[in-house]
Structure formats: C-alpha cells, structure tokens
Amino acid sequence: VIARHLKDHGYEVVVVLATSERYSADLLAQIEQFRKKEGAVFQFPDASSAAGESFETLSSEDLQTILTGSSVIVDALLGTG
C-alpha cells in the first residue's frame, strides 16, 4: 500500500519481495495495482518461488545498489494492507 501511495505522489519506488513459499492474496492484489502504475517489483534472494508467481530476481549486488541509493527504506516484511 505505501509503495503505491508513494508512487502516486511522484516518488521513485522499488519493491523487493522476500522469496516465499506462499504470497497472500492481499499482497498479490497490492502488487498487481502497483504494477499497473509501472512500479518495479523484484524478488530476493535470487531463488525460484514456490508460490507460482513470477517476479524478476535481484542479486546481492543489485540489492546493495538499490539500498545504498535509497533515501528511504520501508520495512514491510510482516503484513500488508
């Protein structure tokens, strides 16, 4: 939700998902809305998800580049909505 709101207000936003066996329906709905706004969504670590979803993966180096170039980092690991 916060990623979508920030994107709506003109911020450059990158979403990095932790690889999971299962993503909640709420998360997938939010990701779908975010992608419609041309939001960037990646998965880390670089591993296939058993959730059946397809996300571009990030290497450790790519993640480090994103994090060091970020002004704000939002930890939303626990929960969506």
Side-chain angles (χ1 to χ4, degrees), residues 29-45:
Q30 293 297 328
I31 291 297
E32 181 178 339
Q33 290 182 30
F34 184 69
R35 282 180 162 170
K36 286 179 183 177
K37 299 174 184 296
E38 299 183 11
V41 181
F42 299 97
Q43 179 176 287
F44 182 83

Side-chain angles (χ1 to χ4, degrees), residues 1-15 30 34 37 39 71-76:
V1 173
I2 188 66
R4 188 168 36 86
H5 287 296
L6 289 170
K7 184 87 170 151
D8 286 343
H9 285 88
Y11 291 92
E12 182 180 341
V13 179
V14 175
V15 171
Q30 293 297 328
F34 184 69
K37 299 174 184 296
S71 298
V72 175
I73 298 169
V74 178
D75 177 353

Side-chain angles (χ1 to χ4, degrees), residues 7-76:
K7 184 87 170 151
D8 286 343
H9 285 88
Y11 291 92
E12 182 180 341
V13 179
V14 175
V15 171
V16 179
L17 299 173
T19 299
S20 177
E21 291 290 321
R22 181 179 66 79
Y23 294 114
S24 71
D26 288 341
L27 171 80
L28 295 175
Q30 293 297 328
I31 291 297
E32 181 178 339
Q33 290 182 30
F34 184 69
R35 282 180 162 170
K36 286 179 183 177
K37 299 174 184 296
E38 299 183 11
V41 181
F42 299 97
Q43 179 176 287
F44 182 83
D46 186 0
S48 61
S49 171
E53 298 300 321
S54 176
F55 299 108
E56 187 174 343
T57 58
L58 289 176
S59 67
S60 295
E61 295 81 17
D62 290 338
L63 180 61
Q64 183 175 1
T65 299
I66 289 171
L67 294 175
T68 58
S70 298
S71 298
V72 175
I73 298 169
V74 178
D75 177 353

